[in-house]
């Protein structure tokens, strides 16, 4: 059913949004006649034809599109070109609105669709230049074969668009057409390539952490910041690859060799500086680019203002794959056939991404009727609408999955700028500039100038708030158009043209581990953990490869913004020359480890540092902390102990594991605290005998998570600078003496500014590790909290703060769920509402009602294997989810299983709009037919695409 209309008020989106509202209101008041037209002609008219025949220009032979009861298509053709042309046609049938929005976003042209409210977003994306990089990739990097496939795909999309008006494409296009006569343009191959930049942006690693640490430095000491970013616990949570070494220009794995050690701290890596680097000018006087009165304080204050505004801008950029604050995770693991009930490997994958409607994934099979040089594909899995090929899945020989490696592939550089350019090694260099014109629906176009240094584009130019930096940074030079002395540049691997699109097609055709690794070598961005399984030999093979461009730095370790004016902090070359990236031959990999399984869940890939068994390059210092990965390791070990074997259903059960690591740590402590208030004591008793699993119907899980949220708020949240606290969360603080209206003796009202998805503390497994280390110190300063009214006394110890958090949680849940604890449940707090992107998110209420679905009450939680994430600073609502789940059976591929978050269709009220969601919420999986007979048996609709003139 449609979502209930209790969503936050829609933001203003300029003239177009107002016109949509006006048109829809007129439609409603016009009476039954026009209302009936809207519901039938405006909604159902865009449903695709799925039976019979359709002529498609450019086809050389017929293509069959066989859809099962869930509308999932399997395509059969006699040539590669026909196969990908048909894929473009079918994607457009079900998902063209999604595709159209994506290409406008990746090219910085959302304002053409949605008006002036998107100008700031477009300006930032134009500054990054995703479209220009995608064009350069297509022109100079991709193979002729890949270009041919991309063109065939684009031709298929355009064949579908031919002759169609807005209402024939989607209800969203119908709404746009009614307001401004918007008509979609032709699809191009570069539209597909540019989507890879959006993927890379959302999976870019630690950029938000880099900003947050710099902003924390305005209120916290370096020692305190280090406590909030502890080193990875190698002594407790295993990395992906254990052992191995780099020697002679190659990485060599060492099976199941023990990793050992207790972690490398924040300064580990290949000779990089420790993570306490602060940004200071290189000196004063002639030649430095700064006037004599330039100071380290000026640079620091300027940086704070720049990063605050940049963080606000990042919050407004559409996060297609997931929110920036919690980080994006995923699970994947693969079990050798010697430990499975099937005798061949089992491979599981569930990427954790932002919930959206339709799902970011589209299930599909691409099959050549007969394998030949002209038709090379027999593959099925999860695709991206708007891009040819299969991203995650299997072919007849191998299966593969992906999780985010989390490598640090971005650096922020504080630049010293002057009217004539920027400072670099005591010289002033001219900016590289380009003009961009942003067209605005219903309004005047806006022109921007993009300035670029040798470290990258000046992202700080895109904030209107940065004009105040000059008044805070005491420099005497004339002010440039932004920043008044300082600016922030972004260095990012995805801004260099690459060959990831080539890698996708090579993965789809790979037959064995060597060809899989060869494909992975071209997977430049985003950097992913790639797991592998095949059906060769007696029990098959399993493997892992870490691909991607990962920078080798000079000085600095990427934890904090660094001085852009000093070449010592630039990215340097690897051992194979001045490429600036770790050589692919030296990236970690593994094959058939003796333990019999491989787990990747965003934990450390390998232990870095010097010495035996340690990796000499720094990949990042901001891994996930291993709560999910170690739980999966433990579940596998428990199952295979004493000769046990793992089945396909065991893999599914593991995917739905709801066990909470932080609950197991804290609940025994919470249960022992003496509570005098009867209401709070009654809530405390919910924890007695609880097994720490976060089932949807669990009252104990609801109460524990509320306690956890309040512990974080009291101990950390109220100590954060306002730039990291939730927008609208206000508190009285002592004045800091920086302005004429306040001083150290006065209190001022200070309100948070951070978006709900990225506010801190978010409660993820980094915070698990922070609290794990602190609970041993019952009198840590972090346990102090000021009094608040008569009923909330000041705290100075751990147990005092825990008791106060338990009381706050009791009354919070009373307000949210009622006085009767027997009615409490985690699922009532932890709800998923699926929102159609753009109009369904911020459009008129009627359109939200038409396009959105939910809510669903979910189990799971932050950093559990069933990772239904939520941000503890902003509430309990679900912010990211297992966006799909799959289990591949390499012994009998037709017995593999899969599920999508939503459904195949992007059309509201189509039978396949959300027909997989309830099953997904329950942890159920669908049959996944692959062989011709299995597909035929599952087929309920067949559409034949024929050449023109046939």
């Amino acid at each position: 059913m449609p979502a209930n209309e209790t969503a936050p008020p829609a933001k203003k989106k300029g003239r177009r949004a107002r016109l949509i509202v006006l048109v829809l209101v007129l439609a409603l008041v016009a009476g039954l006649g026009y209302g009936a037209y809207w519901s039938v002609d405006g909604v159902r008219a865009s449903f695709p034809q799925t039976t019979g025949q359709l002529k498609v220009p450019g086809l050389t032979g017929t293509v069959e599109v066989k859809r099962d009861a869930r509308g999932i298509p399997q395509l059969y053709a006699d040539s590669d070109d026909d196969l990908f042309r048909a894929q473009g046609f079918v994607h457009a049938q079900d998902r063209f609105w999604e595709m159209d929005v994506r290409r406008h976003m990746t090219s910085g042209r959302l304002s053409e669709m949605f008006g002036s409210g998107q100008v700031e977003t477009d300006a930032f994306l134009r500054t990054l230049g995703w479209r220009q990089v995608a064009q350069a990739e297509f022109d100079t990097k991709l193979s002729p074969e890949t270009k041919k496939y991309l063109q065939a795909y684009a031709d298929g999309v355009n064949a579908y668009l031919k002759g169609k008006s807005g209402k024939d494409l989607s209800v969203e296009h119908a709404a746009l057409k009614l307001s401004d006569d918007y008509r979609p343009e032709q699809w191009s191959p570069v539209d597909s390539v540019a989507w890879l930049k959006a993927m890379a942006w959302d999976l870019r690693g630690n950029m938000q952490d880099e900003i947050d640490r710099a902003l924390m430095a305005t209120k916290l000491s370096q020692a305190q910041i280090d406590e909030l970013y502890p080193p990875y616990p190698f002594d407790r949570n295993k990395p992906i690859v254990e052992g191995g070494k780099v020697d002679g220009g190659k990485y060599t794995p060492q099976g199941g060799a023990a990793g050992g050690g207790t972690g490398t701290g924040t300064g580990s890596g290949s000779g990089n500086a420790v993570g306490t680097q602060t940004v200071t000018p290189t000196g004063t006087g002639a030649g430095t680019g700064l006037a004599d009165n330039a100071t380290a304080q000026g640079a620091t204050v300027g940086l704070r203002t720049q990063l605050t505004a940049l963080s606000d801008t990042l919050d407004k950029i559409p996060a297609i794959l997931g929110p920036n604050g919690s980080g994006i995770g995923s699970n994947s693991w693969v079990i050798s056939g010697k430990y499975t009930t099937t005798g061949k490997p089992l491979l599981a994958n569930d990427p954790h991404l932002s919930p959206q409607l339709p799902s970011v994934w589209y299930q599909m099979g691409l099959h050549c009727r007969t394998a030949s040089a002209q038709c090379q594909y027999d593959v099925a899995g999860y695709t991206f609408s708007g891009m040819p090929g299969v991203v995650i899945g299997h072919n007849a020989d191998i299966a593969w999955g992906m999780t985010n490696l989390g490598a640090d592939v971005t650096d922020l550089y504080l630049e010293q700028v002057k009217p004539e350019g920027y400072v670099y090694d005591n010289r002033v260099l001219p900016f590289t500039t380009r003009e961009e014109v942003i067209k605005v629906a219903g309004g005047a176009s806006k022109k921007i100038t993009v300035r670029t240094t040798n470290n990258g584009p000046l992202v700080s130019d895109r904030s209107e708030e940065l004009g105040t930096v000059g008044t805070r940074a005491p420099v005497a030079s004339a002010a440039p158009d932004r920043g008044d002395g300082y600016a922030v540049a972004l260095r990012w691997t995805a801004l260099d043209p690459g060959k990831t699109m080539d890698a996708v097609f090579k993965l789809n055709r790979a037959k064995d581990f060597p060809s899989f690794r060869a494909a992975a070598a071209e997977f430049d961005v985003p950097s992913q953990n790639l797991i592998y399984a095949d059906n060769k030999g007696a029990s098959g093979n399993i493997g892992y490869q870490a691909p991607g461009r990962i920078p080798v730095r000079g000085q600095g370790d990427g934890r904090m913004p660094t001085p852009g004016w000093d070449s010592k902090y630039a990215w340097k070359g690897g051992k194979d020359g001045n490429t600036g990236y770790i050589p692919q031959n030296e990236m970690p990999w593994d094959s058939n480890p003796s333990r019999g399984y491989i787990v990747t869940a965003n934990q450390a890939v390998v232990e870095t540092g010097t010495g035996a068994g340690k990796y000499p390059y720094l990949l990042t210092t901001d891994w996930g902390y291993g709560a999910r990965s170690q739980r999966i390791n433990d579940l596998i070990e428990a199952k295979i102990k004493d000769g046990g074997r793992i089945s396909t259903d065991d893999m599914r059960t593991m995917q739905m594991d709801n066990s909470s690591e932080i609950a197991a740590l804290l609940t025994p402590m919470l249960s022992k605290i003496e509570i005098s208030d009867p209401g709070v004591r009654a809530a405390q008793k919910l924890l007695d005998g609880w097994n720490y699993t976060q089932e949807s119907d669990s009252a104990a899980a609801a109460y524990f998570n509320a306690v956890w949220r309040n512990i974080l708020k009291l101990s950390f949240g109220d100590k954060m600078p306002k730039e990291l606290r939730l927008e609208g969360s206000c508190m009285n603080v002592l004045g800091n003496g920086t302005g004429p209206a306040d001083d150290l003796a006065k209190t001022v009202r200070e309100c948070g500014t951070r978006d709900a998805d990225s506010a801190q503390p978010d409660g993820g497994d980094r915070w698990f590790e922070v609290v794990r280390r602190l609970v041993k110190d019952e009198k840590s300063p972090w346990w102090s909290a000021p009094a608040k009214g008569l009923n909330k006394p000041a705290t100075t110890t751990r147990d005092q703060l825990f008791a106060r958090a338990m009381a706050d949680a009791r009354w919070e849940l009373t307000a949210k769920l009622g006085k009767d604890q027997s009615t409490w449940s985690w699922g009532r707090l932890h709800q998923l509402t699926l929102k159609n992107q753009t109009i369904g998110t911020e459009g008129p209420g009627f359109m939200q009602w038409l396009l959105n679905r939910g809510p669903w009450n979910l189990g799971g939680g932050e950093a559990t294997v069933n990772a239904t994430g939520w941000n503890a600073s902003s509430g309990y609502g679900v912010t990211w989810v297992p966006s799909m789940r799959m289990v591949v059976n390499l012994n009998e591929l037709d017995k593999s299983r899969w599920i999508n978050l939503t459904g195949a269709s992007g059309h509201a009220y189509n039978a396949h709009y959300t027909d997989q969601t309830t099953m997904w919420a329950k942890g159920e999986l669908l049959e996944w037919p692959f062989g011709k007979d299995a597909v035929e048996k599952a087929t309920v609709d067949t559409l034949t695409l024929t050449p023109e003139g046939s």
Side-chain angles (χ1 to χ4, degrees), residues 287-322:
T288 65
L290 287 178
D292 288 345
N293 66 341
T295 64
Q297 179 186 7
T300 300
V301 173
L303 177 64
R304 176 188 180 184
T305 309
Q306 299 267 355
L307 293 182
T308 299
L310 176 58
S311 184
D312 291 342
T313 299
L314 293 178
D315 281 339
K316 298 172 184 175
I317 305 303
I320 288 184
L321 301 184

Side-chain angles (χ1 to χ4, degrees), residues 732-735 743-749:
N732 293 325
V733 298
L734 288 176
D743 56 42
L744 292 175
K746 294 182 179 179
T747 61
V748 295
R749 191 72 168 161

Side-chain angles (χ1 to χ4, degrees), residues 668-707:
M669 300 179 192
L670 297 173
S671 296
K672 293 177 182 178
I673 294 175
E674 298 221 0
I675 300 294
S676 58
D677 185 292
V680 180
R681 191 166 63 249
Q684 183 186 35
K685 288 184 178 298
L686 291 172
L687 302 177
D688 293 345
W690 181 44
N691 63 357
Y692 320 130
T693 59
Q694 301 170 106
E695 303 298 337
S696 175
D697 61 357
S698 171
Y703 182 59
F704 173 79
N705 281 312
V707 175

Side-chain angles (χ1 to χ4, degrees), residues 856-912:
W856 284 266
N857 296 348
L858 299 186
E862 190 73 31
T864 63
V865 180
N866 181 24
T868 56
W870 55 287
N871 187 304
S873 286
S874 54
Y876 305 96
V878 176
T879 58
W880 48 289
V881 295
S883 56
M884 61 80 159
R885 298 186 184 99
M886 75 175 193
V887 178
V888 181
N889 181 335
L890 272 297
N891 181 60
E892 194 170 353
L893 291 170
D894 289 331
K895 290 188 176 179
S896 301
R897 298 290 182 265
W898 62 353
I899 197 77
N900 205 350
L901 173 64
T902 62
S905 179
H907 300 287
Y909 291 98
N910 184 281
H912 306 306

Side-chain angles (χ1 to χ4, degrees), residues 173-186:
H173 281 108
L176 288 177
K177 183 178 185 295
L178 286 170
S179 61
D180 281 325
D181 201 26
Y182 171 79
R183 292 183 181 277
E185 64 193 41
Q186 294 282 286

Side-chain angles (χ1 to χ4, degrees), residues 207-349:
M207 182 174 168
Q208 191 69 56
D209 287 326
E210 190 173 338
I211 293 172
D212 289 354
R213 278 190 289 262
L215 292 173
M216 284 180 186
T218 66
K219 193 169 183 179
L220 304 176
S221 69
Q222 186 60 50
Q224 289 174 312
I225 295 172
D226 289 344
E227 284 187 295
L228 300 185
Y229 288 88
Y232 185 87
F234 284 100
D235 58 331
R236 193 175 68 254
N237 296 341
K238 295 177 183 178
I240 297 171
V241 177
E242 300 176 75
K245 62 181 180 179
V246 173
D247 188 25
K250 291 184 179 181
Y251 180 87
T252 304
Q254 291 186 352
T262 58
T264 59
T266 59
S268 63
S270 54
N272 290 342
V274 296
T276 57
Q277 167 66 35
T278 56
V279 176
T280 58
T282 56
T284 60
T288 65
L290 287 178
D292 288 345
N293 66 341
T295 64
Q297 179 186 7
T300 300
V301 173
L303 177 64
R304 176 188 180 184
T305 309
Q306 299 267 355
L307 293 182
T308 299
L310 176 58
S311 184
D312 291 342
T313 299
L314 293 178
D315 281 339
K316 298 172 184 175
I317 305 303
I320 288 184
L321 301 184
N324 293 322
S326 298
I328 298 177
S330 298
N331 300 323
S332 71
W333 64 95
V334 60
I335 314 289
S336 168
K338 64 184 179 181
Y339 290 127
T340 68
T341 59
T342 66
K344 290 289 174 70
L346 294 172
L347 184 149
N349 196 188

